[in-house]
């Protein structure tokens, strides 16, 4: 069979299959992914395996990535937008060791991006795959603890209780108080948890040209949003969905429209706001953009 | 002791790990973007009457946990031996009990296959359908998830009766079957979420789901 890269021999860890998982597990996950793509937003149960990292560190995302990744892929991993945090670095190293793949911090260069709790600021393109790490996949779980019941609710599109919950927030706080893991309707049919991304990122999911895959390892569920699929955040006519905004711009690159993290910088109440997406911030600084705190540091 | 006759066995993937990954990504890409056609790399052997693409998809997705149903044309001793040896998949007697099906002859009625249930729509059959051709063209127009506006392809040679059944099946969504169409080395997918748009209907008359 020609035209396919052969195993990245020599560069991968001896004694392990390519990308860690055995082939039968990959086949099972691949079938689940295909069905998930065919039924956007519907959670497909799968036989989640024990991975060499604890639950909560991305066991679902890492199994999805291991099942799709090939020797010619370029992998980017982010944790809360950052490429250089422990979780991101260790998952990236895991795949460069077990699959011998190229890794990158650039959103544009990556063919597969595994993410914990953010969508990159740079627009994604056709052909890219975004893999989300999901802690709790079931949007109705805190409203109805029984799986039998939530499955029935999805079958009947019975999503009234979720609207009631949002309404109760309006009654109590005067606005919808949910700020992350904000529930969405996918393709007008399934209510879906977007994973704990800030609601700031929800509009990016709507009709995104990239394929979005979601893996929940502990809860053993895979779901997907194909490219150009409608993803609408729940809201009311008189309380339309809106995203958070800041009075500040990024202290390092000056970006005014990115998602900002607040960072305490001393014990006298000093703080700065910086882009949560480190690649976006670094690229802007490389292009010469400077934020208020960055120019001070330069002086 | 019984003696089993095993004829000369056609080769499967020379590098099963890398090749099945590459084929899976072709299938994933075409399932995620209906209307997109992908050419798979050359295969060393395909048991007649299966084409190269059907063989590659079978080697990639079938194993001992996936009962497969073969239509009359695909149910040959060569195919049975090949699948038993390389995939180890059980052959289902009834189409409604199969996880996968391979159709090499005329497309049987869709309701022969498992559509899944409202609560478990994922428990459905994925049908690998060998069609006459998968060419560019404007004979068939699709809309649905994975498609920016409309996707077009040449006539794969499926009957009007099939398209009526496909349209009827859409009313049962999320229940339904997913199709992997194959022709020689080429694949294209029709997930259950995709709708065929009749000729003459324009973007203005088509309502997108909210």
């Amino acid at each position: 069979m020609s035209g396919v890269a052969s195993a990245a021999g020599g560069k991968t860890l001896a004694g392990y299959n390519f990308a860690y998982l055995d082939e039968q597990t990959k086949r099972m996950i691949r079938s689940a992914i295909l069905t998930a793509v065919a039924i956007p937003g519907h959670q497909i149960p799968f036989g989640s395996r024990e991975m060499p990292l604890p639950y909560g560190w991305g066991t679902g995302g890492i199994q999805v990535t291991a099942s799709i990744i090939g020797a010619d892929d370029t992998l980017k991993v982010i944790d809360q937008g950052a490429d250089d945090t422990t979780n991101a670095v260790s998952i990236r190293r895991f795949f460069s060791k077990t699959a011998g793949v190229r890794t990158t911090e650039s959103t544009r260069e990556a063919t597969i991006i595994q993410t914990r709790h953010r969508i990159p600021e740079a627009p994604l393109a056709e052909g890219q795959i975004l893999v989300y790490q999901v802690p709790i996949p079931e949007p109705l779980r805190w409203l109805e603890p029984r799986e039998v019941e939530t499955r029935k609710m999805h079958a009947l599109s019975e999503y009234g209780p979720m609207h009631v919950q949002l309404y109760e927030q309006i009654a109590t706080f005067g606005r919808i108080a949910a700020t992350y893991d904000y529930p969405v309707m996918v393709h007008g049919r399934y209510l879906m948890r977007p994973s704990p991304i800030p609601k700031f990122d929800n509009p990016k999911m709507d009709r995104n040209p990239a394929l979005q895959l979601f893996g929940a390892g502990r809860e053993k569920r895979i779901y997907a949003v194909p490219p150009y699929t409608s993803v609408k955040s729940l809201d009311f006519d008189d309380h339309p969905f809106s995203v958070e905004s800041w009075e500040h711009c990024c202290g390092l690159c000056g970006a005014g429209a990115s998602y900002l993290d607040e960072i305490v910088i001393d014990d006298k109440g000093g703080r700065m706001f910086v882009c949560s997406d480190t690649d976006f911030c670094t690229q802007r600084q490389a292009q010469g953009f400077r934020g208020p705190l960055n120019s001070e540091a330069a002086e | 002791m019984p003696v089993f006759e095993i004829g000369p066995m056609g080769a499967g993937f020379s590098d099963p790990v890398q090749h099945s990954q590459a084929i899976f990504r072709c299938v994933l890409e075409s399932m995620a973007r209906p209307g997109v056609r992908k050419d798979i790399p050359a295969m060393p052997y395909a048991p007649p009457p299966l084409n190269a693409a059907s063989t590659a998809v079978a080697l990639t997705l079938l194993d001992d946990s996936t009962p497969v149903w073969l239509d009359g044309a695909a149910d040959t001793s060569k195919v049975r031996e090949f699948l038993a040896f390389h995939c180890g998949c059980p052959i289902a007697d009834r189409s409604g009990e199969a996880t996968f099906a391979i159709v090499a002859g005329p497309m049987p009625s869709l309701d022969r296959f498992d559509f899944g249930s409202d609560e478990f729509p994922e428990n459905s059959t994925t049908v690998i359908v060998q069609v006459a051709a998968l060419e560019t063209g404007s004979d068939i127009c699709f809309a649905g998830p994975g498609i920016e506006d409309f996707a077009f392809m040449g006539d794969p040679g499926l009957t009007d009766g099939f398209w009526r059944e496909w349209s009827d099946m859409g009313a049962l969504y999320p229940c339904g079957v997913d199709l992997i169409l194959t022709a020689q080395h080429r694949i294209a997918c029709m997930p259950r979420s995709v709708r065929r748009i009749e000729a003459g209907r324009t973007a203005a008359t088509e309502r997108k789901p909210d």
Side-chain angles (χ1 to χ4, degrees):
Chain A
M1 193 161 143
S2 57
V4 174
S6 60
K11 286 175 71 189
T12 57
L13 214 53
Y16 289 91
N17 189 25
F18 177 81
Y20 187 80
L21 287 178
D22 62 278
E23 289 304 299
Q24 180 147 20
T25 300
K26 285 186 196 169
R27 259 195 306 274
M28 174 263 298
I29 295 177
R30 285 168 181 169
S31 283
I33 292 173
L34 289 180
T35 316
V37 167
I39 317 173
H42 175 63
Q43 303 162 53
I44 314 287
F46 79 109
S48 178
R49 300 294 191 249
E50 197 152 328
M51 297 301 284
L53 78 169
Y55 287 134
W57 287 77
T59 51
I62 211 170
Q63 288 181 77
V64 170
T65 302
S67 303
I68 61 174
I69 202 164
D72 49 358
D73 273 311
T74 304
L75 178 70
K76 171 184 165 84
V77 184
I78 51 173
D79 176 1
Q80 300 272 13
D83 292 276
D84 53 3
T85 47
T86 312
N87 199 194
V89 171
S90 54
I91 292 175
R92 217 160 45 226
R93 204 165 51 188
F94 176 82
F95 282 112
S96 61
K97 272 188 182 171
T98 58
V101 294
R102 231 162 62 80
T103 60
T104 183
E105 296 194 357
S106 158
T107 302
R108 261 176 258 280
E109 277 177 26
T111 52
I112 298 175
I113 303 172
Q114 185 174 328
T115 174
R116 175 177 173 271
H117 307 358
R118 266 320 302 281
I119 298 174
E121 305 287 357
L124 301 175
E126 269 184 16
Q128 288 184 307
I129 302 179
L130 188 58
V131 179
Y132 295 75
Q133 302 172 194
V134 180
I136 308 281
E138 177 51 69
L140 302 165
R141 184 56 71 233
W142 304 143
L143 300 167
E144 171 51 65
R146 288 166 297 183
E147 170 69 15
V148 179
E149 289 301 316
T150 51
R151 204 163 255 285
K152 217 170 272 172
M153 291 164 81
H154 282 295
L156 301 170
S157 287
E158 176 49 68
Y159 298 137
M162 182 56 87
H163 281 102
V164 170
Q165 190 190 46
L166 297 180
Y167 170 75
E168 283 174 347
Q169 292 176 5
I170 293 172
T172 312
F173 305 109
R175 63 191 166 83
I176 297 175
T179 53
Y180 67 96
D181 219 341
Y182 192 105
V184 293
M185 282 297 283
V186 178
H187 184 47
R189 174 61 181 83
Y190 280 106
L191 186 67
M192 185 187 91
R193 267 196 176 195
S195 87
I197 57 171
K199 67 174 180 176
F200 180 87
D201 284 341
N202 275 21
K204 295 180 197 163
M205 306 181 84
D206 184 37
R207 298 184 61 75
N208 194 309
L211 170 62
Q212 304 172 71
L213 303 176
F214 299 76
R218 180 178 39 207
E219 301 288 325
K220 304 175 172 53
R221 294 290 185 276
I222 286 172
Y223 51 103
V225 175
Y228 306 112
T229 300
S230 142
V231 178
K232 292 275 172 271
S233 305
L234 292 192
D235 62 358
F236 299 96
D237 288 346
D238 52 346
H239 284 271
F241 175 79
S242 65
V243 300
E244 48 275 73
S245 58
W246 290 263
E247 290 167 8
H248 307 75
C249 63
C250 171
L252 296 177
C253 76
S258 68
Y259 189 79
L260 300 179
D261 283 338
E262 186 177 2
I263 297 174
V264 176
I265 49 175
D266 55 33
D267 56 1
K268 301 180 186 71
R271 61 194 57 194
M272 70 187 289
F273 288 83
V274 293
C275 293
S276 121
D277 186 335
T278 51
D279 170 55
F280 177 77
C281 196
T282 313
Q283 303 257 351
R284 276 179 55 88
Q285 289 177 66
Q287 289 160 17
F289 292 102
R290 287 290 178 272
L293 291 168
N294 202 352
S295 44
E296 264 176 34
E299 276 164 15
Chain B
M1 271 180 64
V3 177
F4 294 102
E5 288 281 333
I6 297 181
M9 182 61 63
F13 293 137
S14 56
D15 184 347
V17 173
Q18 298 299 323
H19 294 164
S20 57
Q21 187 275 336
I23 304 294
F24 168 69
R25 283 289 284 277
C26 289
V27 178
L28 177 62
E29 170 87 359
S30 39
M31 191 65 86
R33 297 174 58 202
V36 167
R37 292 167 303 283
K38 301 288 281 186
D39 282 333
I40 62 139
M43 286 289 297
Y45 171 78
L50 298 197
N51 60 34
S54 302
T55 309
V57 171
L59 288 173
T60 302
L61 294 175
L62 305 188
D63 62 20
D64 58 3
S65 65
T66 56
V68 61
W69 178 80
L70 304 170
D71 77 338
D75 193 357
T76 64
S77 60
K78 285 252 186 286
V79 171
R80 278 182 175 251
E81 281 171 15
F82 185 86
L83 293 180
F85 183 79
H86 288 290
C87 308
C89 55
I91 305 293
D93 293 331
R94 272 175 293 195
S95 52
E97 293 165 356
T99 312
F100 285 92
I102 302 178
V103 172
M107 185 68 189
S109 166
L110 278 178
D111 57 19
R112 287 196 59 160
F113 300 108
D114 192 352
F115 280 15
S117 62
D118 284 332
E119 290 177 29
F120 295 88
E122 65 271 27
N123 294 347
S124 54
T125 310
T126 301
V127 190
I128 302 165
V129 189
Q130 299 202 153
V131 295
L134 290 171
E135 300 296 335
T136 44
S138 54
D139 304 313
I140 309 287
C141 174
F142 289 131
I147 301 169
E148 189 169 7
D149 292 308
F150 299 99
F152 296 92
M153 61 188 254
D155 185 4
L158 293 162
T159 60
D160 289 345
F162 164 81
W163 290 112
R164 261 195 309 278
E165 287 179 14
W166 185 261
S167 159
D168 292 347
M169 189 187 80
L172 302 175
Y173 182 87
C175 298
V177 295
D178 307 314
L179 306 187
I180 301 175
L181 308 180
T182 66
Q184 289 91 46
H185 291 90
R186 191 165 289 174
I187 62 170
C189 291
M190 285 171 58
R192 66 193 76 182
S193 54
V194 80
R195 291 172 301 127
R196 185 186 176 189
I197 307 293
E198 294 301 326
R201 296 185 72 173
T202 61
T205 61
E206 262 307 309
R207 192 185 71 86
K208 289 216 177 65
D210 295 325

